[in-house]
Amino acid sequence: MNNRRYNLFFHLHTISGISISVMLFVIFFAGAFTLFQGEINQWEQYEISKTKPTKAPGADSFVKAFEKAQKETKGHYGRTISLYEHDGELAVYVSPSADSTISEKERAGGEYIYHETTGKFGPHEEYYGTGTLLYWLHFYWQFGQIGYLIAGFVSLFFFLAIITGVLVHWKKIVSNFFTFRPFAKWKTIWTDAHTALGIIGLPFQFLYALTGSIFGLGLLLSSTVAISFFDSDVNKFYDDFYPNYQAQLGKPLDKEVDLGHYLDWTHKKWPSF
């Protein structure tokens, strides 16, 4: 590699690394503690944790949570609903309605938590704690979609720093890995540690940077694909990738869905699920 290219990669490596250092540290710090999100929330909500059921929620609990959410959001027409277990309770996510004939206020969705033992039902915000704070901070969701994009760009610059770092150290990557001078000046110690730790963690850092970029910038990627290959038709893009995306849009079901029936059927088919 000639000097011009070496200097180019060296400066790219330095600038990209320094520019994202603080934000990347926050992402890693919050991500490490997010692994214990459930335990942190249970510790904070000790009174609720004492009354948590010892077994998985049954069909009745799902039906009750579904009905309560239906009252809160003025019906489920045109919405996407997700129910899942969340630290022993049932979490219910209701998307904003696609029905354009109702007011903006009535179209609003929400996230709720249903506590099976006490029957308490309320907004998800009531259960927010340190665990949730750290989980959101892992991808800057406190800033909404902009924060998600920020995390994506941080990961992208992290990816750039990794690639340029490998190119800069390529010739001496093996010899420098086995070089550590603990009694030299501080700059030398930091340089040796930076090289050694960088090589040890290289596979993991590469995956973090790549997957973080895809997750964070997924919206831009899907938009680019829609513009390039689907004539800027986003609905056509979703129809192709998610065939059922608009299958029922504008066509309300002519009968009630027995949610309990499907849950019981699932438990029978997969008893240990």
Side-chain angles (χ1 to χ4, degrees), residues 73 87 96 238:
T73 54
D87 295 337
Y238 279 112

Side-chain angles (χ1 to χ4, degrees), residues 3-245:
N3 287 336
R4 184 176 178 278
R5 288 184 178 179
Y6 178 87
N7 290 330
L8 175 63
F9 290 137
F10 180 83
H11 290 304
L12 274 174
H13 178 69
T14 304
I15 294 170
S16 58
I18 292 174
S19 62
I20 64 170
S21 57
V22 175
M23 290 185 289
L24 191 62
F25 175 80
V26 171
I27 290 174
F28 280 150
F29 180 86
F33 281 96
T34 295
L35 293 172
F36 308 99
Q37 179 188 4
E39 288 79 1
I40 293 171
N41 287 339
Q42 288 182 23
W43 170 70
E44 285 191 311
Q45 300 169 5
Y46 176 67
E47 291 300 320
I48 296 178
S49 299
K50 286 194 302 184
T51 59
K52 284 185 178 180
T54 56
K55 60 180 181 179
D60 290 342
S61 298
F62 275 87
V63 172
K64 288 178 182 177
F66 187 85
E67 290 175 347
K68 287 180 179 290
Q70 190 173 22
K71 293 178 182 178
E72 291 286 337
T73 54
K74 312 297 182 185
H76 285 338
Y77 174 66
R79 303 180 190 274
T80 298
I81 301 120
S82 303
L83 294 93
Y84 54 94
E85 189 178 357
H86 177 80
D87 295 337
E89 287 98 19
L90 282 174
V92 187
Y93 168 74
V94 183
S95 73
S97 177
D99 185 3
S100 58
T101 62
I102 58 178
S103 66
E104 192 70 28
K105 185 178 180 180
E106 291 177 318
R107 291 175 63 189
E111 292 185 74
Y112 306 93
I113 293 288
Y114 174 70
H115 190 247
E116 185 179 15
T117 305
T118 63
K120 182 181 178 183
F121 181 86
H124 195 207
E125 290 87 345
E126 294 179 5
Y127 292 82
Y128 288 168
T130 306
T132 307
L133 169 68
L134 292 170
Y135 172 65
W136 281 7
L137 196 59
H138 180 55
F139 46 93
Y140 297 116
W141 192 245
Q142 284 86 347
F143 303 107
Q145 191 66 50
I146 296 298
Y148 212 62
L149 291 173
I150 290 173
F153 278 111
V154 169
S155 299
L156 185 63
F157 277 95
F158 183 35
F159 186 79
L160 178 63
I162 292 171
I163 298 300
T164 52
V166 170
L167 292 174
V168 166
H169 293 287
W170 184 252
K171 281 189 176 180
K172 297 182 178 180
I173 201 167
V174 176
S175 60
N176 285 356
F177 176 70
F178 293 101
T179 301
F180 190 69
R181 293 157 285 186
F183 301 107
K185 56 185 179 180
W186 276 108
K187 181 181 178 182
T188 303
I189 295 173
W190 282 112
T191 301
D192 292 344
H194 175 81
T195 305
L197 293 174
I199 295 172
I200 291 172
L202 186 61
F204 307 101
Q205 294 167 18
F206 178 82
L207 286 176
Y208 291 150
L210 179 62
T211 55
S213 301
I214 293 172
F215 284 139
L217 302 177
L219 180 65
L220 296 181
L221 290 174
S222 61
S223 300
T224 304
V225 171
I227 293 171
S228 303
F229 300 101
F230 294 89
D231 298 325
S232 301
D233 190 340
V234 178
N235 287 329
K236 188 177 179 182
F237 163 77
Y238 279 112
D239 283 339
D240 199 38
F241 278 83
Y242 309 99
N244 296 321
Y245 174 68

